Amino acid sequence: MKAFRLHAIGEMPQPDDIVLPPPGHGEVRIAIRACGLNFADLLMIDGRYQERPALPFTLGMEVAGVVEATGPGVQGLQQGARVAVFAGSGGLAEYGNFPADACLPIPESMDFETAAAFQIAYGTSHLALGHRARLRAGERLLVLGAAGGVGLTAVEIGKLMGAEVIALARGPERLAVAQAAGADHLIDSAAPDLRGLLKALGGVDVVYDAVGGPAFMEALRAARPEGRLIPIGFAGGEVPQIPANLLLVKNLTVIGLYWGAYRRFAPQVLRDSLAELTRWHGEGKLRPHISHVLPLDRAAEALALLRSRTATGKVVVTMDRS
């Protein structure tokens, strides 16, 4: 089968022809239909992600497809079932073996492309804003990187939770995408004096930051008393160093969020979150934005769209089943 694999840290992944073994105990083999890309895939290539599979490995953290075979000990999943999996790796391939207990049924309201783009982006924002920051209706939410894969879902979910949403993104086209997702106020990331612009709006209660760098510090200084700041990634490449004295004098809270860790220490929290998100999607309350869908033989181009920040929302790679 065809797979897109990383052989050395810092080098471009390469297409390979590999043999997939039968699914092991507790595993299912999935005929992959779509794989959602994430900024974490780029971090894996660069050797900067917190989880590092042994080389060589197949990239692609979240997949959607059809169960083709089951390994020993698997119950409740049948051949032909439509499932989505957050696997951490293995998605940029025609087939993959994944833990059966990580598979979620894909509802009839979702196609494969949407299912492959859904879990990480929406799950991260839902847990960050609801479970961690306890965002309340009427509060003012600032989303940094508001047109990206996770940022756009934060705009959408924040608005759904009743917040007044400020979107920070680069350029009018990306800001228009954030506005369509529900943002009430738009700020170009190139604008000077972000702190002043935020204070002119009355400050912010919650900051959702997928970018890092100077914008986080400006938002920190514009936070209202008892504000909460959620760093969920550092796509800008710079990890902010947070001065504790500012947290003290304004009674601020910085809240970390790594969505994937919930699989290990609180899986029920993750399952409950995804169940609610799936219900919202079925009710038409969520409208996933996928800006690019490319075939597997153009996976390198798909990753380049992420690295250049050309894409808005999600980028999805599909497998040819003709």
Side-chain angles (χ1 to χ4, degrees):
M1 71 171 193
K2 296 177 182 177
F4 197 68
R5 287 158 61 84
L6 183 69
H7 289 264
I9 296 298
E11 294 185 2
M12 175 57 66
Q14 300 294 327
D16 284 341
D17 288 315
I18 64 173
V19 176
L20 186 69
H25 189 275
E27 290 185 334
V28 296
R29 182 171 69 236
I30 294 176
I32 298 171
R33 300 294 181 85
C35 174
L37 298 187
N38 295 274
F39 186 75
D41 291 307
L42 301 181
L43 295 179
M44 282 188 170
I45 293 171
D46 297 339
R48 296 189 291 123
Y49 194 57
Q50 52 262 39
E51 296 183 13
R52 300 183 180 183
L55 294 167
F57 70 91
T58 302
L59 287 164
M61 303 183 73
E62 53 184 334
V63 305
V66 177
V67 174
E68 189 176 79
T70 60
V74 173
Q75 297 180 348
L77 272 178
Q78 304 295 326
Q79 292 183 16
R82 300 168 72 247
V83 295
V85 187
F86 170 65
S89 62
L92 285 176
E94 294 178 308
Y95 299 88
N97 294 329
F98 304 103
D101 60 7
C103 294
L104 296 175
I106 299 175
E108 291 300 320
S109 63
M110 278 189 194
D111 57 26
F112 288 114
E113 290 83 2
T114 300
F118 193 81
Q119 289 190 59
I120 293 177
Y122 279 102
T124 295
S125 293
H126 188 247
L127 285 187
L129 297 177
H131 181 68
R132 297 289 284 147
R134 307 294 182 185
L135 178 68
R136 298 184 292 270
E139 289 191 309
R140 191 170 293 121
L141 166 68
L142 169 65
V143 180
L144 306 180
V150 290
L152 199 58
T153 64
V155 171
E156 196 174 5
I157 290 173
K159 189 64 177 177
L160 189 58
M161 294 175 69
E164 179 184 346
V165 181
I166 306 169
L168 183 79
R170 185 181 71 251
E173 292 182 2
R174 299 176 73 82
L175 286 170
V177 171
Q179 185 175 39
D184 299 287
H185 308 281
L186 307 174
I187 300 177
D188 195 307
S189 58
D193 191 19
L194 174 60
R195 177 187 180 188
L197 292 172
L198 294 173
K199 289 208 164 191
L201 290 171
V204 294
D205 299 295
V206 175
V207 177
Y208 179 102
D209 181 20
V211 181
F216 179 90
M217 300 307 298
E218 292 296 294
L220 174 68
R221 289 176 168 82
R224 300 172 67 180
E226 294 195 333
R228 289 91 74 204
L229 301 99
I230 321 165
I232 64 102
F234 312 105
E238 181 182 336
V239 179
Q241 303 303 302
I242 302 167
N245 62 308
L246 290 183
L247 305 182
L248 183 151
V249 298
K250 296 179 74 174
N251 293 291
L252 302 178
T253 304
V254 178
I255 305 169
L257 189 283
Y258 170 37
W259 182 81
Y262 280 86
R263 289 186 301 163
R264 294 187 293 273
F265 75 85
Q268 190 58 49
V269 171
L270 190 144
R271 285 193 290 267
D272 290 346
S273 170
L274 289 173
E276 182 165 32
L277 288 166
T278 301
R279 177 173 57 81
W280 283 354
H281 180 271
E283 294 170 353
K285 295 178 179 178
L286 300 176
R287 300 179 302 279
H289 179 83
I290 300 172
S291 66
H292 295 80
V293 178
L294 298 174
L296 181 60
D297 60 7
R298 296 173 63 187
E301 181 181 342
L303 288 166
L305 289 168
L306 290 186
R307 196 175 289 278
S308 66
R309 302 192 196 178
T310 303
T312 56
K314 293 287 284 189
V315 175
V316 173
V317 172
T318 57
M319 315 309 154
D320 183 8
R321 294 290 167 198
S322 59

